[in-house]
């Protein structure tokens, strides 16, 4: 087989890139290790920046998000139960975010691929990248016990943190930065109306909590837990008691308790790999970087990487110019690092870690009080939350 761009991974990054390249007349094949159902079963983020909203429209898959997505003009921060609002629209000159589950976004991308008979090979095993430093790279895999060989011009590594692409870059070339936080997020999805019109991020002595949503009838809540915690130690009743305590007295009575339809613990990690290009391989999304979910940046960074990479590849095939490809890594990383900073900062200001001393805990409350009382400080939070400009 032959294609112009072989894309590894059919998560949001891989499918959005494939859709944008198709729109630009660039031929590509997507290789995904799991089944489509498995990919859809993963419950992930829910807040998307205008950048991604616009990209979904450009990719021709934004209709349902426009119909069902919830446009939010602000979000809230609770400090020991005292809630204040970050007015995104007022503080950013009119920008907003849209609440729309990653699962739904991925479903929309999958349906668009299926409708056009796009080449997505699910349950592709033993994916391997070859000749990345040559001008004739290729990808091999095993599908239904048969070997597959795909010759290509470029490989897009959209295969997430545990994928094969980043590991195909020689260790002597790759530089990584990592912080593993000594906590995780225990998340619950339930079919109950949200406790608040907008999200509430809570800083509480007992630990972080978040009240989010997927729609007017489906809620998503999180509590910070230790890395040694097990799901079986968190029956629904205990979860509802804890999230109520951490969201505080004004919010707790508005929480509608319901049976969890999904419950999972996700680790908190900051991670960046540089460069995001090696020869004919380009990394995008979680394959190159991870953020703690506090800032809701993971999906949105995958989107900006894909925006830059799809533009660069389209330009190469349209005009034979490789400047976009040559500047991709630096351009993407400039935005990645700023989102890493915001995600790390917001996590550090709202979570309780055992190694924090009394002064650090006090500084958290001072920082959040400063944001509450200063328009300038709140504007810094707001411009990062809605997403910094693409360039
Ligand atoms: N071969 C083929 N596919 C692979 C391989 C492999 N060796 N390894 C992983 N994959 C697939 C995974 O099964 C997954 O479907 O690559 C896909 C990567 O998707 P994501 O992990 O969702 O990463 P990305 O598309 O960059 O989206 C980032 O997803 O994980 C969340 O918080 C993250 O919201 C962010 C978004
Ligand atoms: C979610 O709804 O899953 C969500 C929302 C905001 C975040 C993280 C997760 O910052």
């Amino acid at each position: 087989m032959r294609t112009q761009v072989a894309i590894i991974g059919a998560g949001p990054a891989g499918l959005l890139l494939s859709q944008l390249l198709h729109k630009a007349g660039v031929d590509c094949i997507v290789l995904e290790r799991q089944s489509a159902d498995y990919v859809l079963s993963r419950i992930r983020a829910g807040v998307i920046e205008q950048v991604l909203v616009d990209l979904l429209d450009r990719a021709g898959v934004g209709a349902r998000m426009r119909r069902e997505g919830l446009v939010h003009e602000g979000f809230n921060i609770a400090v020991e139960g005292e809630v204040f609002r970050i007015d995104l629209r007022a503080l950013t000159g009119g920008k907003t975010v849209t609440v729309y589950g990653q699962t739904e976004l991925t479903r929309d991308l999958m349906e668009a691929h299926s409708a056009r008979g796009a080449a997505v090979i699910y349950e592709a095993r033993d994916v391997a990248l070859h000749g990345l430093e040559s001008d004739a790279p290729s990808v091999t895999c095993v599908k239904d016990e048969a070997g597959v060989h795909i010759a290509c011009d470029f490989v897009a590594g959209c295969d997430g943190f545990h994928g094969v692409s980043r590991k195909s870059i020689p260790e002597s070339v790759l530089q990584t930065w990592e912080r593993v936080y000594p906590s995780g997020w225990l998340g619950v999805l339930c079919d109950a109306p949200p406790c608040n019109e907008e999200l509430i991020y809570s800083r509480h002595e007992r630990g972080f909590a978040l009240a989010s949503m997927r729609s007017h009838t489906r809620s998503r809540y999180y509590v910070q837990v230790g890395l040694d915690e097990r799901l079986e130690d968190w029956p629904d009743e205990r979860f509802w008691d804890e999230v109520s305590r951490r969201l505080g007295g004004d919010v707790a009575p508005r929480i509608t308790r319901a049976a969890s339809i999904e419950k999972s613990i996700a680790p908190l990690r900051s991670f960046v790999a540089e460069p995001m290009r090696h020869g004919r391989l380009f990394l995008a999304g979680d394959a190159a970087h991870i953020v703690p979910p506090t800032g809701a940046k993971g999906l949105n960074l995958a989107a900006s990487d894909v925006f830059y990479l799809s533009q660069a590849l389209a330009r190469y095939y349209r005009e034979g110019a490789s400047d976009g490809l040559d500047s991709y890594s630096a351009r993407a990383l400039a935005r990645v690092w700023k989102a890493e900073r915001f995600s790390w900062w917001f996590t550090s200001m709202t979570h309780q870690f055992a190694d924090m001393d009394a002064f650090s805990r006090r500084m958290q409350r001072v920082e959040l009080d400063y944001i509450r009382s200063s328009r300038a400080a709140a504007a810094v939070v707001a411009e990062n939350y809605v997403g910094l400009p693409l360039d």
Side-chain angles (χ1 to χ4, degrees):
M1 296 166 83
R2 186 181 213 297
T3 189
Q4 291 174 312
V5 182
I7 298 173
I8 317 300
L15 289 180
L16 182 55
L17 178 62
S18 164
Q19 192 65 12
L20 289 169
L21 290 179
H22 166 71
K23 290 286 185 184
V26 177
D27 184 54
C28 54
I29 293 179
V30 183
L31 297 175
E32 166 56 53
R33 175 164 66 181
Q34 306 289 355
S35 68
D37 287 345
Y38 184 92
V39 173
L40 281 176
S41 69
R42 294 190 292 238
I43 303 297
R44 292 280 169 65
V47 173
I48 63 179
E49 298 170 358
Q50 192 60 43
V51 163
L52 179 48
V53 167
D54 296 343
L55 268 183
L56 292 171
D57 280 338
R58 186 182 306 177
V61 297
R64 190 161 72 102
M65 177 269 302
R66 292 277 182 192
R67 277 199 316 274
E68 299 177 11
L70 306 176
V71 175
H72 281 202
E73 302 189 355
F75 71 90
N76 302 274
I77 297 174
V79 181
E80 307 306 310
E82 294 292 316
V83 182
F84 66 93
R85 183 170 186 263
I86 301 290
D87 186 342
L88 296 174
R89 181 181 285 280
L91 291 165
T92 63
K95 293 182 181 178
T96 60
V97 294
T98 300
V99 172
Y100 188 64
Q102 179 173 313
T103 303
E104 301 319 310
L105 183 154
T106 306
R107 192 191 315 277
D108 295 339
L109 284 162
M110 282 182 178
E111 287 174 1
H113 279 72
S114 175
R116 61 182 173 86
V120 183
I121 301 177
Y122 286 98
E123 296 176 281
R125 289 190 298 102
D126 306 332
V127 171
L129 315 183
H130 311 278
L132 295 176
E133 296 179 62
S134 76
D135 57 6
S138 63
V139 176
T140 56
C141 71
V142 174
K143 170 66 176 172
D144 298 336
E145 305 314 316
V148 177
H149 177 277
I150 301 170
C152 55
D153 299 329
F154 301 103
V155 180
C158 303
D159 46 351
F161 185 68
H162 301 290
V164 65
S165 298
R166 188 179 70 250
K167 295 165 188 159
S168 302
I169 299 178
E171 285 192 14
S172 59
V173 170
L174 206 63
Q175 193 173 359
T176 62
W177 293 260
E178 184 170 44
R179 167 162 296 184
V180 178
Y181 301 84
S183 287
W185 277 20
L186 167 58
V188 159
L189 191 67
C190 66
D191 282 327
C195 64
N196 198 60
E197 280 292 304
E198 297 171 334
L199 275 64
I200 304 174
Y201 294 80
S202 175
R203 186 260 181 215
H204 192 278
E205 289 298 340
R206 295 176 63 85
F208 171 83
L210 170 60
S212 182
M213 64 199 73
R214 290 291 177 271
S215 68
H216 292 307
T217 59
R218 178 163 284 192
S219 299
R220 180 77 167 158
Y221 290 90
Y222 298 94
V223 292
Q224 175 191 356
V225 294
L227 287 178
D228 57 348
E229 301 266 6
R230 300 175 308 160
L231 280 180
E232 50 265 38
D233 296 331
W234 282 90
D236 286 2
E237 213 47 42
R238 179 187 177 193
F239 178 85
W240 292 121
D241 290 344
E242 190 62 34
V243 78
S244 299
R245 290 183 73 170
R246 296 186 189 186
L247 287 170
D250 292 346
V251 176
R254 305 205 304 266
I255 295 175
T256 303
R257 299 186 177 205
S260 56
I261 56 178
E262 192 274 348
K263 190 186 291 182
S264 54
I265 296 177
L268 300 184
R269 180 196 314 268
S270 297
F271 174 85
V272 178
E274 289 191 13
M276 290 174 60
R277 175 195 189 174
H278 177 63
R280 294 299 182 104
L281 170 64
F282 295 85
L283 302 181
D286 275 14
H289 42 73
I290 297 288
V291 284
T294 322
K297 291 300 165 203
L299 177 58
N300 293 297
L301 278 181
S304 45
D305 293 348
V306 163
F307 168 75
Y308 298 134
L309 184 54
S310 60
Q311 260 199 340
L313 287 166
R315 177 170 165 76
Y316 172 82
Y317 284 110
R318 191 177 58 242
E319 302 169 30
S322 62
D323 54 342
L325 295 173
D326 297 339
S327 62
Y328 166 72
S329 180
R331 197 179 176 203
L333 284 165
R335 194 169 195 265
V336 164
W337 275 113
K338 295 185 183 77
E340 290 281 347
R341 182 208 69 81
F342 176 66
S343 304
W344 157 81
W345 171 84
F346 201 16
T347 301
S348 306
M349 288 304 114
T350 54
H351 289 60
Q352 302 307 306
F353 298 116
D355 63 352
M356 286 169 61
D357 59 16
F359 181 79
S360 303
R361 295 180 196 282
R362 193 80 183 92
M363 280 299 107
Q364 279 186 337
R365 298 190 61 165
V366 171
E367 181 88 12
L368 295 172
D369 188 47
Y370 172 48
I371 293 163
R372 183 191 57 76
S373 57
S374 159
R375 180 182 172 84
V380 168
V381 174
E383 74 164 356
N384 281 277
Y385 195 84
V386 299
L388 295 178
L390 282 172
D391 279 315

